[in-house]
Amino acid sequence: MTYVICEPCVKCKYGDCVEVCPVDCIYEGDDMLYINPDECIDCDACVRACPAEAIFIDDEVPEQWAAYIQINADFAYDGKSPVTSKDDVVKGENWDAETAAKAPQ
Ligand code: SF4
Ligand code: F3S
C-alpha cells in the first residue's frame, strides 16, 4: 500500500502535505508533488492536510486518476531530497493561482 498524489495537485502545489508527513517521503517536481511509495508508511496524515483533496490511498484512487499511481512510482527520486517545509515548495511559472483558488478549503 501507499498513498498517491493525483491531478488536483498539478499546477496547485499547496504544500501542506509536506508539513505533516512523519517520514518526509514527499518530493517536488515542476508541476506537482509526488509520494515515494517505497518510503510512505500509510499513516494517512497527508490526506487530511491537502486543501485540494489530491491524495488517496492507492486502492481508493478515483478511476480517472488511476494513472497517478504509476506516475508517483515513476518519479525520479534517486538523489533528490524530500520537501519538508511548505515554504520550500516552488510555485513557479507552472503554478496556476486560478486552479488553486478553486480547490475546496
Ligand atoms: Fe507521508 Fe503518511 Fe502521507 Fe505517506 S500517508 S505520504 S507517510 S503523510
Ligand atoms: Fe499538492 Fe495537496 Fe500537497 S495540492 S502539494 S498534495 S497539500
Side-chain angles (χ1 to χ4, degrees):
M1 303 289 280
T2 182
Y3 279 67
V4 176
I5 300 181
C6 297
E7 189 173 274
C9 186
V10 176
K11 298 187 178 180
C12 181
K13 299 209 280 190
Y14 276 116
D16 298 62
C17 52
V18 307
E19 299 275 348
V20 300
C21 181
V23 295
D24 297 338
C25 67
I26 303 178
Y27 295 72
E28 185 173 17
D30 288 340
D31 283 341
M32 62 176 282
L33 272 68
Y34 302 87
I35 291 172
N36 186 336
D38 295 331
E39 298 175 350
C40 176
I41 59 168
D42 306 335
C43 74
D44 197 62
C46 55
V47 172
R48 282 166 277 124
C50 177
E53 299 180 10
I55 308 176
F56 300 84
I57 195 160
D58 51 8
D59 64 3
E60 293 179 7
V61 169
E63 182 62 33
Q64 71 270 28
W65 297 330
Y68 282 86
I69 298 171
Q70 199 61 44
I71 288 169
N72 278 248
D74 287 346
F75 183 68
Y77 295 102
D78 283 356
K80 292 194 173 66
S81 299
V83 196
T84 56
S85 168
K86 183 176 178 171
D87 294 338
D88 293 336
V89 174
V90 179
K91 293 173 176 170
E93 60 184 28
N94 288 324
W95 184 61
D96 179 352
E98 200 173 322
T99 300
K102 287 180 193 156
Q105 300 297 312

